[in-house]
Amino acid sequence: MTGVLLLLALFWFGVNRSDPTYQGQSLSFWIRELKTKPGRDEYLKAKDALVHMGLVAAPRLATLLDYQEPKLLTAIRANMPNSLRNLLISRLPASFIRSRAFTILREMGSNAHTAIPVLIRLVKSPDVETRLWAIQILGLIGPSAEFAVPALVTMLKSGSVEEREAAARSLGAIGTSAAKAVPDLVSAMATKRIQVGTAVPALVALGYTPVEAVPLLIAQLRASTNSPVPLNSVRCLGLIGAPAAPAVPALIDALQNTESRARAPVAFALGQIGPKGSMAVPALTRALDDEWWYVRENAAIALGKLESNAASAIPALARLAEGDRNEDVRTAALEAMSSIRRKPVESPSRISPEPSKKEK
């Protein structure tokens, strides 16, 4: 009997020595706190510890994404008097524990890369919520999640709508390390398995210019004549850049929208298209007189990106640089003139007082 106790003591000592610690407490202790303590303060303390332990804690946390309470414990809990239920070791619902693990892994971001093998396995989980969480965390990990690309591509092909969208976003977040997924993303966009507004940012992040999307995005803009401008389509055209030049007429029309929060991103997108969008110079010059400062600022930025093609806008930009009420607008106008003339432009001697940016 003494020998058995000695062996158990040695085993316990060895486990404790191999378990990483934070603030004098082991990883196992913090995982147990996460799983058993309902209080907010206790949870936040455990969360802080596990985030700090990062690389060593991530795999253990990932296994909790599909945590299920042992069936025996569930049965015991169901048949115990209410007064005794809190004596059980696990007092939190399994869904609560899973949600806590997801929140902490999400906060870890790239430091959760040691959990990649577990997360790849969980992408195939029978539980929908677990699959979505695993997909999202792989994206938050970023480029080092390259080994998860095949699993994400599989989900892109066979997952639900929500899973396909999440997989596309995560592939984009992984970046050029996921470049081999470009054909699958293009195919998913073409067959409408994912939205074009999801596909374009992902493809651009993978280093691919999705010119195939331009006609679809133009159609979306044209379809919004009597409704709010689809800002996601506008942003996508801007991301595509110069190859989106065929969309310039549709963007010029959108620049006349009555909603100022739509006009600003439209102006910015025209700038992202660059010199090939030179037919927008008159419309952007008129936008320099917009009642809202952020529209004027974005119009000035766009004109600067059109370079020498926007030479006709210099007088209007000069008026802005000297007399606009908003400092950001004045700065944007100065920088635009420098880009158009391809040489620095000195700040005007008279600068109007700067109001709150909330002013028009």
Side-chain angles (χ1 to χ4, degrees):
M1 182 68 177
T2 303
V4 172
L5 291 174
L6 180 60
L7 285 172
L8 287 172
L10 288 172
F11 174 77
W12 177 255
F13 179 72
V15 168
N16 278 343
R17 288 195 64 184
S18 65
D19 209 9
T21 61
Y22 177 76
Q23 293 186 344
Q25 299 291 352
S26 69
L27 172 58
S28 296
F29 169 83
W30 293 117
I31 292 287
R32 189 164 57 250
E33 291 286 286
L34 176 73
K35 292 171 64 177
T36 62
K37 297 299 173 67
R40 176 176 171 79
D41 290 343
E42 294 163 314
Y43 160 63
L44 290 176
K45 190 173 181 180
K47 176 184 174 185
D48 180 65
L50 291 165
V51 168
H52 275 85
M53 297 179 86
L55 299 177
V56 293
R60 294 274 295 274
L61 284 167
T63 62
L64 294 179
L65 291 177
D66 64 347
Y67 173 80
Q68 298 291 335
E69 185 176 74
K71 292 181 179 179
L72 178 60
L73 190 58
T74 303
I76 294 172
R77 185 196 299 278
N79 291 284
M80 286 185 72
N82 290 338
S83 59
L84 296 178
R85 285 180 184 175
N86 286 339
L87 297 178
L88 290 171
I89 294 174
S90 180
R91 289 175 288 176
L92 297 176
S95 60
F96 208 69
I97 295 171
R98 293 197 299 268
S99 178
R100 283 182 167 188
F102 170 69
T103 300
I104 298 172
L105 286 164
R106 184 174 57 190
E107 187 166 323
M108 284 183 180
S110 60
N111 285 335
H113 67 83
T114 50
I116 290 173
V118 179
L119 293 168
I120 291 173
R121 175 179 63 80
L122 293 177
V123 169
K124 304 172 186 176
S125 168
D127 181 73
V128 175
E129 186 176 57
T130 299
R131 291 198 301 269
L132 282 169
W133 281 345
I135 292 168
Q136 290 176 48
I137 295 166
L138 286 166
L140 292 170
I141 290 171
S144 57
E146 176 184 358
F147 294 112
V149 170
L152 293 172
V153 167
T154 298
M155 193 55 62
L156 192 65
K157 294 177 178 178
S158 60
S160 66
V161 172
E162 192 175 2
E163 289 164 347
R164 294 196 301 268
E165 292 283 315
R169 286 191 292 269
S170 288
L171 286 166
I174 292 171
T176 54
S177 298
K180 58 189 175 185
V182 165
D184 298 292
L185 280 166
V186 171
S187 174
M189 176 179 69
T191 55
K192 298 183 180 179
R193 294 199 307 275
I194 58 173
Q195 296 182 48
V196 64
T198 303
V200 169
L203 286 163
V204 170
L206 268 57
Y208 178 81
T209 303
V211 293
E212 305 92 332
V214 174
L216 299 172
L217 294 167
I218 293 173
Q220 290 177 359
L221 274 180
R222 291 300 188 194
S224 67
T225 305
N226 298 315
S227 58
V229 173
L231 294 183
N232 201 25
S233 302
V234 171
R235 294 188 187 101
C236 286
L237 288 165
L239 286 173
I240 293 169
V248 169
L251 288 168
I252 290 173
D253 290 344
L255 193 58
Q256 316 309 314
N257 192 274
T258 56
E259 175 52 57
S260 63
R261 294 290 176 182
R263 297 196 297 273
V266 169
F268 189 77
L270 285 165
Q272 288 177 295
I273 291 172
K276 288 191 175 182
S278 59
M279 68 182 295
V281 170
L284 288 168
T285 303
R286 289 192 295 273
L288 295 177
D289 293 323
D290 197 279
E291 59 179 327
W292 291 99
W293 70 270
Y294 48 83
V295 179
R296 299 195 298 274
E297 179 190 23
N298 279 281
I301 291 170
L303 287 163
K305 291 181 178 179
L306 298 182
E307 299 176 350
S308 60
N309 294 307
S312 63
I314 286 179
L317 287 166
R319 287 196 299 273
L320 237 60
E322 184 172 354
D324 197 272
R325 298 178 304 238
N326 185 283
E327 182 181 359
D328 289 345
V329 176
R330 297 195 298 270
T331 300
L334 279 172
E335 292 175 352
M337 287 191 291
S338 294
S339 297
I340 294 167
R341 292 173 172 168
R342 298 187 179 178
K343 63 180 182 179
V345 176
E346 292 185 3
S347 176
S349 57
R350 291 190 298 105
I351 297 293
S352 302
E354 165 66 1
S356 164
K357 286 187 179 180
K358 292 182 179 178
E359 289 191 36
K360 294 183 179 180

